[in-house]
Structures are given as C-alpha cells and as structure tokens.
Amino acid sequence: MNKLMTFIALSLVSSTLSAGEPVWDGNQVVLESEKLAPGVFAYYPNNAREFERKGLPVATSGGFVVGKKGVLMIDTMLNERLHKQVQVLIRNQSDKPILYAVNTSFHGDHSYGNMYLPKETKIIQHVVTKNYIDEHFVKDTEFMIQNFGTGRGIEEIEPVAADILVGEGGRITLDLGGKMVEIIDFGFAQTGGDLFIWEPESRTMWTGNPIITMKPSLPWLLDGHLIETLNSLEIVYNFLPKDAHVVPGHGSVIARSDLKWHIDYLKAVKTEVQNAIDEGLTLEQTVERVALPEFQGYALYEWVHPTLNVPAAYKDLSK
Ligand SMILES: [Zn+2]
C-alpha cells in the first residue's frame, strides 16, 4: 500500500463521515488527562469514550509519568495547539522538568510536536523512526496535510533530531526519580519503529497505533506485515499482567482483555486469507471472499479491512 492509495482511501472514508473534513480536526480536539496511579497519567480526547464505543475515529492519545527528578511525555501530538495542551496537562500535575519525550512511531500525530518541547527535553525514538523522518519528512508532512487539512499547524512543522535511539529488539529503562519506566520494541507492530512504554509499578502500558482503541476499531496495516504484527501483539498480550491498564494510540484506557479483539481479528484474517490462497484465488477474489462480518462496526472498516489488511495478509502468506 503506497501513501497515495492510503490518501485516496482515507479521503473516501472521511468524505463518507462528513464531506471534505478530516477524520478528526487538530484545531478542535480537546485533551483531558486521567490519573491511573500516583505520577502516572493517560491523556486522550474528551470525546474518546463516546466515539470509541461507536467505532468512530478518535484523535491521538498518550500520557506522562512523573518522578522525583522529572517527567516523561509519551507522544508529542500533531501540532502546536495539541502539544501545548499536553504541556498544560503536565503542568497541572507537576512543576518538574520534562526530561524525556518518546515517540511511539514516526506518525505525525505522535511526533510532530517534538519541535515545541522545552530545550532540555531529550527525545527518544526507535532507529527506524529516525531513519524514516530523515528520509521522508517533507513527503510525510504533505501526506498529513492532505489527510488532516491545511491550516492545522502542520505547515510549520520541522523535524527535530532524537537524542536517544532504541535499536531493533531494544529495551531501555529510564529513572525518573523513584519511578522506573521501560521503553520496549516488541517487534514489527505497524511501522517497524514501534515503541511500547511500560510502567511496571502501576502496570500501565502505552501502545501507540498498533492498538488503535477498543472493539470495534481494527489494526491498520499501513506498511503490511500481517504475520509479524500478529506475532508482536501476541507477545505484548503475554507480557501484560491480567490487571494491566492499556493506553491505546487513539482512545481512552482499556484492559489487557481488549487486546484479544485485535489479535482474534488478525488471526481470522490470516486463516481466511490462507484458505483463499490455498484455493488459488487472486487478491481481488480474496478481498471479496474475506469480509469477516463478525469484525465489522468500525467506521473505517471499508478502508482498513479490504484495502490494507487483507492485501497485507495476501502478500505475506503468498511468500
Ligand atoms: Zn496515531
């Protein structure tokens, strides 16, 4: 799936939601924070709980962790307006410096706010994220303007070099002062530069985009790799204790059990697409066959399932 096809598909989806408007508007979203444990906060749009249950798109979520020495910000948002909202949410809880900010992926809604961080903040990225931004930044912002609209603050975004890089399969531990946080690469989960953040004391996991939000949202295999993505999500699921809090990429706080929906969906896609390949069906015939009505309900289903996920599975399983 190339970016142009993604754009066309997203435009079709957004035009069916409301003519010509982006799936969510970076000039309108209002973020709120939720305390999960002392010093541990999620943030997400104030319409998340209402929208996610209806399967409607929700803007970006993230969080922050406060230790005695300082704060870790998890994802820096699409534009200055949203980034500054996160800084205010942090300042409402702590006057400690923002020591670190981590980007769960290169996607602009998780990383464009880097340029608005205080000078002292160290930016943490996966090496795949850094390489993507180094090579594709201008094209990426053009793509994001097409999908999220002009005048949403994307025109002014400039890339900022990361200070700390996490390598393939890497895992680093940050000491925020009486608060240890781990940043983990569990494997390819959407972009190949996917970082998960784990605060063990409160048993809180931030996933970024690999988990959009609860049922009926579905994974977006924008860069393919169904088998690796399924494998990585199973590793994440097995890593988590039963009572873990999970902060997804685009919704309010969910439970470990909510990850099952995404894993079961990817397993069903894998099984059904494999059956189609075994019967000698073409990609077009497979897309038509593998409709999976039991996994419908997501507003972006008509884009994400037939145009991204089934083709990704077909490509992977045809190897
Ligand atoms: Zn996102």
PDB file of all heavy atoms in Angstrom, residues 24 60 105 107 109-110 208-209 212 249-250, ligand 1:
ATOM      1  N   TRP A  24     -10.482  13.591  12.037  1.00  0.00           N
ATOM      2  CA  TRP A  24     -10.622  14.418  13.247  1.00  0.00           C
ATOM      3  C   TRP A  24      -9.825  15.692  13.020  1.00  0.00           C
ATOM      4  O   TRP A  24      -8.917  15.726  12.201  1.00  0.00           O
ATOM      5  CB  TRP A  24     -10.220  13.686  14.520  1.00  0.00           C
ATOM      6  CG  TRP A  24      -8.893  12.995  14.509  1.00  0.00           C
ATOM      7  CD1 TRP A  24      -8.661  11.681  14.205  1.00  0.00           C
ATOM      8  CD2 TRP A  24      -7.594  13.555  14.826  1.00  0.00           C
ATOM      9  NE1 TRP A  24      -7.314  11.399  14.297  1.00  0.00           N
ATOM     10  CE2 TRP A  24      -6.641  12.527  14.680  1.00  0.00           C
ATOM     11  CE3 TRP A  24      -7.161  14.831  15.227  1.00  0.00           C
ATOM     12  CZ2 TRP A  24      -5.276  12.722  14.907  1.00  0.00           C
ATOM     13  CZ3 TRP A  24      -5.800  15.031  15.456  1.00  0.00           C
ATOM     14  CH2 TRP A  24      -4.874  13.977  15.295  1.00  0.00           C
ATOM     15  N   THR A  60      -5.450  11.452  18.753  1.00  0.00           N
ATOM     16  CA  THR A  60      -4.327  10.756  19.384  1.00  0.00           C
ATOM     17  C   THR A  60      -4.385  10.777  20.915  1.00  0.00           C
ATOM     18  O   THR A  60      -4.741  11.792  21.518  1.00  0.00           O
ATOM     19  CB  THR A  60      -3.019  11.426  18.919  1.00  0.00           C
ATOM     20  OG1 THR A  60      -3.152  11.746  17.539  1.00  0.00           O
ATOM     21  CG2 THR A  60      -1.824  10.524  19.141  1.00  0.00           C
ATOM     22  N   SER A 105       5.885   6.179  17.352  1.00  0.00           N
ATOM     23  CA  SER A 105       6.169   5.869  15.948  1.00  0.00           C
ATOM     24  C   SER A 105       6.516   7.193  15.259  1.00  0.00           C
ATOM     25  O   SER A 105       6.470   8.256  15.883  1.00  0.00           O
ATOM     26  CB  SER A 105       4.966   5.238  15.251  1.00  0.00           C
ATOM     27  OG  SER A 105       3.948   6.212  15.031  1.00  0.00           O
ATOM     28  N   HIS A 107       4.650   8.485  12.981  1.00  0.00           N
ATOM     29  CA  HIS A 107       3.414   9.124  12.521  1.00  0.00           C
ATOM     30  C   HIS A 107       3.311  10.525  13.127  1.00  0.00           C
ATOM     31  O   HIS A 107       3.531  10.717  14.321  1.00  0.00           O
ATOM     32  CB  HIS A 107       2.203   8.268  12.900  1.00  0.00           C
ATOM     33  CG  HIS A 107       2.061   7.062  12.023  1.00  0.00           C
ATOM     34  ND1 HIS A 107       0.941   6.289  11.992  1.00  0.00           N
ATOM     35  CD2 HIS A 107       2.903   6.494  11.125  1.00  0.00           C
ATOM     36  CE1 HIS A 107       1.093   5.303  11.116  1.00  0.00           C
ATOM     37  NE2 HIS A 107       2.284   5.394  10.584  1.00  0.00           N
ATOM     38  N   ASP A 109       1.000  12.522  14.034  1.00  0.00           N
ATOM     39  CA  ASP A 109       0.146  12.823  15.189  1.00  0.00           C
ATOM     40  C   ASP A 109       0.781  12.347  16.500  1.00  0.00           C
ATOM     41  O   ASP A 109       0.284  12.667  17.577  1.00  0.00           O
ATOM     42  CB  ASP A 109      -1.268  12.253  15.012  1.00  0.00           C
ATOM     43  CG  ASP A 109      -1.293  10.767  14.774  1.00  0.00           C
ATOM     44  OD1 ASP A 109      -0.521  10.282  13.921  1.00  0.00           O
ATOM     45  OD2 ASP A 109      -2.079  10.070  15.449  1.00  0.00           O
ATOM     46  N   HIS A 110       1.892  11.606  16.408  1.00  0.00           N
ATOM     47  CA  HIS A 110       2.611  11.142  17.597  1.00  0.00           C
ATOM     48  C   HIS A 110       3.971  11.820  17.760  1.00  0.00           C
ATOM     49  O   HIS A 110       4.624  11.634  18.782  1.00  0.00           O
ATOM     50  CB  HIS A 110       2.799   9.616  17.537  1.00  0.00           C
ATOM     51  CG  HIS A 110       1.501   8.882  17.464  1.00  0.00           C
ATOM     52  ND1 HIS A 110       0.902   8.305  18.562  1.00  0.00           N
ATOM     53  CD2 HIS A 110       0.647   8.689  16.422  1.00  0.00           C
ATOM     54  CE1 HIS A 110      -0.258   7.773  18.192  1.00  0.00           C
ATOM     55  NE2 HIS A 110      -0.440   7.995  16.907  1.00  0.00           N
ATOM     56  N   GLY A 208       0.722   3.143  21.555  1.00  0.00           N
ATOM     57  CA  GLY A 208       0.717   3.835  20.266  1.00  0.00           C
ATOM     58  C   GLY A 208      -0.265   3.165  19.313  1.00  0.00           C
ATOM     59  O   GLY A 208      -1.150   2.401  19.737  1.00  0.00           O
ATOM     60  N   ASN A 209      -0.086   3.437  18.020  1.00  0.00           N
ATOM     61  CA  ASN A 209      -1.049   2.995  17.000  1.00  0.00           C
ATOM     62  C   ASN A 209      -1.284   1.490  16.835  1.00  0.00           C
ATOM     63  O   ASN A 209      -2.320   1.126  16.299  1.00  0.00           O
ATOM     64  CB  ASN A 209      -0.622   3.523  15.630  1.00  0.00           C
ATOM     65  CG  ASN A 209      -0.872   5.003  15.499  1.00  0.00           C
ATOM     66  OD1 ASN A 209      -1.712   5.565  16.181  1.00  0.00           O
ATOM     67  ND2 ASN A 209      -0.129   5.638  14.615  1.00  0.00           N
ATOM     68  N   ILE A 212      -5.306   0.676  18.162  1.00  0.00           N
ATOM     69  CA  ILE A 212      -5.993   1.954  17.937  1.00  0.00           C
ATOM     70  C   ILE A 212      -6.833   2.287  19.170  1.00  0.00           C
ATOM     71  O   ILE A 212      -6.642   3.312  19.811  1.00  0.00           O
ATOM     72  CB  ILE A 212      -6.879   1.892  16.673  1.00  0.00           C
ATOM     73  CG1 ILE A 212      -5.993   1.692  15.417  1.00  0.00           C
ATOM     74  CG2 ILE A 212      -7.759   3.122  16.549  1.00  0.00           C
ATOM     75  CD1 ILE A 212      -5.229   2.908  14.964  1.00  0.00           C
ATOM     76  N   GLY A 249      -3.394   4.000  21.158  1.00  0.00           N
ATOM     77  CA  GLY A 249      -2.950   5.155  20.379  1.00  0.00           C
ATOM     78  C   GLY A 249      -4.032   6.185  20.128  1.00  0.00           C
ATOM     79  O   GLY A 249      -3.747   7.362  19.898  1.00  0.00           O
ATOM     80  N   HIS A 250      -5.291   5.736  20.174  1.00  0.00           N
ATOM     81  CA  HIS A 250      -6.404   6.639  19.812  1.00  0.00           C
ATOM     82  C   HIS A 250      -7.660   6.321  20.618  1.00  0.00           C
ATOM     83  O   HIS A 250      -8.695   5.980  20.050  1.00  0.00           O
ATOM     84  CB  HIS A 250      -6.697   6.558  18.311  1.00  0.00           C
ATOM     85  CG  HIS A 250      -5.614   7.161  17.474  1.00  0.00           C
ATOM     86  ND1 HIS A 250      -5.659   8.465  17.023  1.00  0.00           N
ATOM     87  CD2 HIS A 250      -4.436   6.662  17.049  1.00  0.00           C
ATOM     88  CE1 HIS A 250      -4.563   8.728  16.331  1.00  0.00           C
ATOM     89  NE2 HIS A 250      -3.800   7.651  16.328  1.00  0.00           N
TER      90      HIS A 250
HETATM   91 ZN    ZN B   1      -1.942   7.803  15.509  1.00  0.00          ZN
END
